[in-house]
Amino acid sequence: AKDFGFGRSGLANVVMTPRFDEAASVFDDDHKGRCFTLLRHPIKRAISLFYYLKDATWEHTYSEVYKNMTIEEFAVSQYAEDNWMVRFLTNEMSGNVFERHIGLAKEILESKCLIGILDELKPSFKRFNEYFGWNTKDFGGPVKMTDRGTCVGRVTSHPDNAHSHPNHEEGDEVWDLLMQKNRYDMILYDHALHLFHDVQSELVTR
C-alpha cells in the first residue's frame, strides 16, 4: 500500500488494520492519519477471548487445544495474552517487555490515538462521530445518512459479535492469574481511561 501511494491517494476515509506499525508507515508528513481505537479492559478481554476460542470452530485460527482446557489452565499457559496492547503498540511481539515499553505505549496512545472505551461504547461512538465529522459525511454506503442513528443504536445495544460466557470477578483466582501476565496492559489501560475522561473530552468541545 505504501509503494502504491495509498496514504496520499485519498481513496479511503477509514483504514482498519491489526498491523499498527506497518499501517503508520503508509502516511507521511503531508498526508497524516489519525488513529482511533476502542479499548477493552485487558482482563475482561482475555477472559472473553478464551471462551470465544473454545467455541469458534468457524474461525481459521480455531484449535482443538482449547476444547477441553479450563480457564485456570489457560491463564497459566503460553496461550494466554501477555501484555498484548503494549506489545502491539511498541511492535515488541516476542521476548520480555519492560518499563520503557509501557512509556512508549503511553506516548503513542496520547499523541497518536483518539481513545474509545468499550465499557462506554455510546459515548465513545459519539466522540468519534464529532471528532471526525462522520455525521455530516455521505460515504455512499448501503446505510443512508438519515438511518445512521438507528444503525449505530442497534450495534451499540446488540453487538453482532457478542459472545456470552461465564463471568469472573476481580479478586478471584482466574482474574489474579491473568493480572500477573498483563500488569503493563493494566497500567496502559488506566492511562487510556485518564485520556478518555480527563484529556480528550476537550477535543470535541473546542
Side-chain angles (χ1 to χ4, degrees), residues 113-142:
C113 297
L114 182 64
I115 306 297
I117 302 296
L118 187 63
D119 285 343
E120 302 190 51
L121 191 56
K122 290 183 179 179
S124 297
F125 266 58
K126 183 175 184 291
R127 186 168 299 175
F128 293 157
N129 271 325
E130 291 177 351
Y131 181 84
F132 292 109
W134 288 340
N135 284 332
T136 61
K137 294 180 181 178
D138 186 354
F139 297 107

Side-chain angles (χ1 to χ4, degrees), residues 153-203:
R154 181 188 64 78
V155 171
T156 55
S157 300
H158 304 285
D160 292 337
N161 63 343
H163 183 260
S164 60
H165 57 75
N167 290 322
H168 296 273
E169 301 297 331
E170 184 174 357
D172 70 14
E173 180 186 8
V174 168
W175 192 282
D176 290 345
L177 288 171
L178 290 168
M179 277 287 291
Q180 292 175 26
K181 283 199 168 185
N182 293 278
R183 182 169 66 92
Y184 288 124
D185 264 15
M186 282 303 307
I187 295 172
L188 183 63
Y189 184 72
D190 286 342
H191 185 64
L193 288 176
H194 163 64
L195 294 177
F196 181 78
H197 290 293
D198 304 323
V199 179
Q200 296 187 354
S201 58
E202 300 179 2
L203 290 176

Side-chain angles (χ1 to χ4, degrees), residues 61-119:
T61 54
Y62 175 75
S63 172
E64 290 283 338
V65 71
Y66 301 107
K67 187 174 182 180
N68 298 312
M69 183 182 288
T70 67
I71 192 166
E72 289 82 7
E73 292 170 336
F74 171 75
V76 296
S77 75
Q78 62 179 319
Y79 305 106
E81 290 186 342
D82 175 2
N83 296 300
W84 180 84
M85 283 198 299
V86 172
R87 292 181 180 279
F88 175 77
L89 288 172
T90 61
N91 200 30
E92 192 72 39
M93 302 309 294
S94 61
N96 296 323
V97 290
F98 301 98
E99 293 289 339
R100 67 176 183 272
H101 293 105
I102 183 64
L104 177 57
K106 284 182 176 181
E107 182 182 340
I108 291 171
L109 276 189
E110 190 160 348
S111 63
K112 303 294 184 183
C113 297
L114 182 64
I115 306 297
I117 302 296
L118 187 63
D119 285 343

Side-chain angles (χ1 to χ4, degrees), residues 16 31 49 58 76 168 204:
M16 299 180 67
H31 306 87
L49 175 64
W58 55 89
V76 296
H168 296 273
V204 295

